[in-house]
Amino acid sequence: MAVEYYDFGPHKIHHSSVFHTTNLCFAFVNLRPALPVKRVADLTDDENTDLWHIAKKLGRQLESYHKASSLTFCIQDGPQAGQSVAHVHIHILPRKNGDYENNDDIYEDINEKENELNRALEVDIKRRDRSIEEMAIEADEYKKFVF
């Protein structure tokens, strides 16, 4: 899918911020979704398979990079899961033996990191969004690391 812009609803995503594509989707740099998309239950079988294929591929890279022994995959899906805008994404968390005293403590850590991100986004929201150049630099880093 080599194009100058990718369509994301009514929005145009510049190719330089896209770091991975498949026949059914593309991954791009943006801290906030641009518009409501689908929830997990709304995905077609092909979209669901594609999403998990990418998560598996990325998970292997993260596990190797962090010298982890396992992975935790998390999906936040809908307003009760903390989403203000419905969209599908997967968090992939590299895990090491003994990283938490109680395995479920990871979810408290996730909540704290999410709160930190939301506080940081308040600053970003005032600034509107990052420039195409800033997103392109981040996308280039992801391309080197993952795909």
Side-chain angles (χ1 to χ4, degrees), residues 96-101:
K96 294 182 180 179
N97 189 23
D99 56 0
Y100 290 94
E101 185 174 332

Side-chain angles (χ1 to χ4, degrees), residues 72-86:
T72 294
F73 292 85
C74 300
I75 295 179
Q76 291 175 283
D77 188 33
Q80 286 71 37
Q83 283 190 335
S84 57
V85 177

Side-chain angles (χ1 to χ4, degrees), residues 98-112:
D99 56 0
Y100 290 94
E101 185 174 332
N102 297 306
N103 194 46
D104 285 346
D105 289 347
I106 191 170
Y107 301 109
E108 290 178 19
D109 217 14
I110 291 169
N111 287 336
E112 180 54 35

Side-chain angles (χ1 to χ4, degrees), residues 88-140:
V88 180
H89 71 274
I90 298 175
H91 296 265
I92 305 170
L93 309 166
R95 303 290 305 277
K96 294 182 180 179
N97 189 23
D99 56 0
Y100 290 94
E101 185 174 332
N102 297 306
N103 194 46
D104 285 346
D105 289 347
I106 191 170
Y107 301 109
E108 290 178 19
D109 217 14
I110 291 169
N111 287 336
E112 180 54 35
K113 296 297 182 196
E114 179 101 11
N115 290 337
E116 288 174 19
L117 175 62
N118 287 334
R119 287 189 294 274
L121 284 177
E122 288 300 318
V123 173
D124 196 43
I125 288 168
K126 291 175 187 167
R127 188 182 141 195
R128 305 288 277 157
D129 210 348
R130 295 174 293 162
S131 69
I132 289 175
E133 292 78 17
E134 288 174 300
M135 291 188 290
I137 290 167
E138 186 175 346
D140 285 343

Side-chain angles (χ1 to χ4, degrees), residues 4 7 10 15 21 52 59-60 64 75 86 91:
E4 186 173 359
D7 292 322
H15 73 89
T21 63
W52 285 103
R60 284 182 178 156
S64 174
I75 295 179
H91 296 265

